[in-house]
Amino acid sequence: MQTPVSLQDKKSFIQWFLNHYQLKKRESVWILNYLVNHNEVLSNVHFVREAKFCPRGIIMTSHCSDEVPFRFYKNQLVTTDAEKSFHDIRLNQHDPLYIQLNFDKANQNIFYAAVLVENPFIPNEYFITQKDKDLAKDLLDKLLFDSTKTRLLNKIDKALDQHDRDTFEQLVKQLNHLESIAENQPDIH
């Protein structure tokens, strides 16, 4: 279990962030300043990656990032209206609020990393890339090839031990066919 981030750490981070980055929407600055000045609300704020998956999340972006300027997610609804989200924050002070900040090199920033918590709402398969899928498929293909080849070689040995020429020839054909298929596949040998 992750230790919660203290109010003071959240305040210090927000103040640092506001001093170093200019947000694309001025309402984002208002929201962050509101949070700094309201401990009860700030105690329910969690900085996360991929806030779009959260039941109540905000994405705010600085000018140095190409991401969307502002998004507020509440359950299945999405709005770019920062004033509506500000109103929701004030009305629902006791509800968890998840914030994602987009700024240059955010994933390498130690100050941001210090307040980030794991997002419990990200689907398990979200970070599985096409490359991961391709590697998994290649591995399964290799395992299937090796298993089939081993099984055929064992049967060939058994046919030789039993002097069963017909079975031996049939199994050698199967083995040759398997290897010819594998030759046309990348990375199966």
Side-chain angles (χ1 to χ4, degrees):
M1 183 78 186
Q2 208 166 301
T3 58
V5 179
S6 73
L7 278 176
Q8 188 53 51
D9 287 345
K10 291 177 192 178
K11 281 184 184 185
S12 296
F13 169 72
I14 292 171
Q15 290 165 338
W16 172 85
F17 181 80
L18 289 172
N19 286 328
H20 287 84
Y21 293 94
Q22 184 178 3
L23 291 159
K24 289 182 177 180
K25 278 203 167 243
R26 61 180 156 64
E27 294 90 342
S28 296
V29 176
W30 299 346
I31 291 170
L32 291 175
N33 278 318
Y34 177 80
L35 295 174
V36 166
N37 293 305
H38 292 83
N39 289 347
E40 196 167 332
V41 183
L42 189 58
S43 68
N44 293 308
V45 168
H46 311 283
F47 292 96
V48 296
R49 298 192 196 285
E50 305 302 332
K52 65 186 174 190
F53 293 112
C54 299
R56 192 162 160 251
I58 296 179
I59 296 175
M60 299 178 189
T61 303
S62 71
H63 282 286
C64 59
S65 175
D66 294 332
E67 302 293 324
V68 295
F70 184 91
R71 291 282 187 278
F72 178 71
Y73 299 86
K74 185 161 185 183
N75 300 320
Q76 309 307 319
L77 301 173
V78 181
T79 184
T80 58
D81 188 338
E83 288 185 38
K84 283 183 183 176
S85 63
F86 183 63
H87 185 66
D88 183 86
I89 292 167
R90 286 192 343 237
L91 287 177
N92 301 294
Q93 296 184 10
H94 302 289
D95 294 345
L97 176 65
Y98 298 88
I99 299 177
Q100 172 186 333
L101 296 174
N102 296 323
F103 57 99
D104 189 39
K105 296 186 177 110
N107 60 338
Q108 299 173 14
N109 188 287
I110 59 171
F111 300 113
Y112 193 35
V115 296
L116 273 177
V117 295
E118 190 172 326
N119 185 340
F121 303 102
I122 293 178
N124 290 337
E125 66 280 355
Y126 183 69
F127 290 112
I128 297 175
T129 65
Q130 187 60 45
K131 182 179 178 184
D132 294 333
K133 291 176 185 176
D134 292 344
L135 286 171
K137 182 189 177 308
D138 291 347
L139 177 62
L140 288 173
D141 288 347
K142 173 84 169 107
L143 291 172
L144 182 61
F145 170 81
D146 289 347
S147 170
T148 304
K149 183 175 179 179
T150 300
R151 185 176 45 80
L152 284 171
L153 289 171
N154 288 336
K155 286 183 176 183
I156 288 171
D157 286 346
K158 186 177 178 182
L160 284 171
D161 290 344
Q162 296 175 348
H163 304 290
D164 184 349
R165 184 180 184 120
D166 291 338
T167 303
F168 170 79
E169 288 176 356
Q170 179 189 0
L171 292 169
V172 168
K173 281 183 183 177
Q174 288 179 21
L175 180 62
N176 289 336
H177 178 70
L178 178 69
E179 289 181 335
S180 71
I181 291 172
E183 285 178 8
N184 296 323
Q185 299 293 320
D187 301 326
I188 289 192
H189 306 3

